Amino acid sequence: QKEVEQNSGPLSVPEGAIASLNCTYSDRVSQSFFWYRQYSGKSPELIMSIYSNGDKEDGRFTAQLNKASQYVSLLIRDSQPSDSATYLCAVRTIYNQGGKLIFGQGTELSVKP
Amino acid sequence: GAGVSQSPSNKVTEKGKDVELRCDPISGHTALYWYRQSLGQGLEFLIYFQGNSAPDKSGLPSDRFSAERTGGSVSTLTIQRTQQEDSAVYLCASSYRDGPTFLEAFFGQGTRLTVV
């Protein structure tokens, strides 16, 4: 079982719709959770961080965390063509000295005008 | 200060040669990570440094790969006797630790390594 799993996609949504991206993780004691966006040929850029159960909203983005289900998601409201990118889920595991940051394989999102 | 800085941006080397990739993290960030990303693939964890603790080297793919971090700041990833399968983008990231909590990690622009 991979430590962090995402559907590879591609996920295609029409402009203005809600895009829902999902991620599961295997280490029950994981502490911190992050969503990154990566455009083709560029390095990942941070979108959201979430540390406790529940929802966290930032503009058009909402991160949701459920530690009991070991599940984290990202909702993008009013999707725009400029949101088309690969979205990476990252989980910080805690063991040994702690802090190792593990990424999922990413979900490719395509927003159609 | 400035963001994470990596050099060189691009490196073309001949098979069998050694290469060194440099990462200069954000000032004050105690954690530093190296990842490798092959074309169309996800981020493969290589090595992680936290302060003065022993690094987590569990992701290094072979003993040809090594990394060091001097003075808790700049890090160098060295690949000896490069092979064509080492061709990839090598990404460095750094983050700050606030007590027990590791905050967000920020990436450099990466080094694109091509082994010919």
Side-chain angles (χ1 to χ4, degrees):
Chain A
Q1 181 187 8
K2 292 182 180 178
E3 293 179 87
V4 181
E5 294 203 55
Q6 298 179 251
N7 291 328
S8 60
L11 172 66
S12 183
V13 300
E15 184 175 356
I18 296 175
S20 178
L21 303 160
N22 304 314
C23 173
T24 58
Y25 59 94
S26 61
D27 186 348
R28 184 167 290 277
V29 295
S30 294
Q31 177 193 57
S32 313
F33 308 85
F34 307 92
W35 284 99
Y36 288 80
R37 177 175 63 197
Q38 186 175 29
Y39 293 112
S40 181
K42 302 294 186 182
S43 58
E45 58 177 325
L46 180 72
I47 299 177
M48 294 280 288
S49 59
I50 186 165
Y51 301 94
S52 55
N53 279 328
D55 295 0
K56 179 181 178 182
E57 187 175 318
D58 184 0
R60 295 187 296 113
F61 299 97
T62 298
Q64 300 174 316
L65 174 62
N66 184 326
K67 289 188 177 182
S69 299
Q70 295 175 237
Y71 174 92
V72 57
S73 66
L74 179 70
L75 301 178
I76 307 174
R77 290 181 298 282
D78 187 25
S79 296
Q80 301 297 308
S82 58
D83 294 327
S84 298
T86 297
Y87 288 80
L88 300 165
C89 172
V91 176
R92 181 163 277 128
T93 63
I94 301 298
Y95 63 92
N96 294 333
Q97 72 268 37
K100 184 175 175 180
L101 187 62
I102 300 298
F103 284 79
Q105 288 296 103
T107 298
E108 183 183 351
L109 173 66
S110 177
V111 181
K112 303 296 187 184
Chain B
V4 178
S5 179
Q6 291 187 246
S7 61
S9 298
N10 285 282
K11 176 72 175 179
V12 180
T13 190
E14 292 181 352
K15 179 181 173 182
K17 295 289 179 89
D18 297 352
V19 295
E20 287 189 350
L21 311 179
R22 176 188 170 104
C23 174
D24 200 342
I26 294 172
S27 178
H29 279 196
T30 55
L32 187 148
Y33 313 82
W34 283 99
Y35 296 90
R36 177 170 71 176
Q37 188 172 35
S38 300
L39 190 62
Q41 303 298 309
L43 272 67
E44 176 188 4
F45 168 78
L46 296 177
I47 188 168
Y48 155 63
F49 296 90
Q50 168 53 39
N52 295 320
S53 301
D56 181 340
K57 304 179 181 180
S58 60
L60 294 178
S62 77
D63 58 8
R64 296 186 296 105
F65 288 73
S66 63
E68 63 176 19
R69 189 178 184 191
T70 54
S73 181
V74 172
S75 177
T76 302
L77 177 69
T78 301
I79 308 173
Q80 295 179 310
R81 305 181 303 281
T82 51
Q83 303 294 313
Q84 288 186 328
E85 60 262 30
D86 299 334
S87 296
V89 175
Y90 289 81
L91 291 160
C92 175
S94 71
S95 68
Y96 176 69
R97 184 174 185 174
D98 181 11
T101 303
F102 290 85
L103 302 181
E104 298 87 351
F106 296 93
F107 282 85
Q109 81 281 15
T111 294
R112 182 176 300 277
L113 175 66
T114 304
V115 182
V116 298

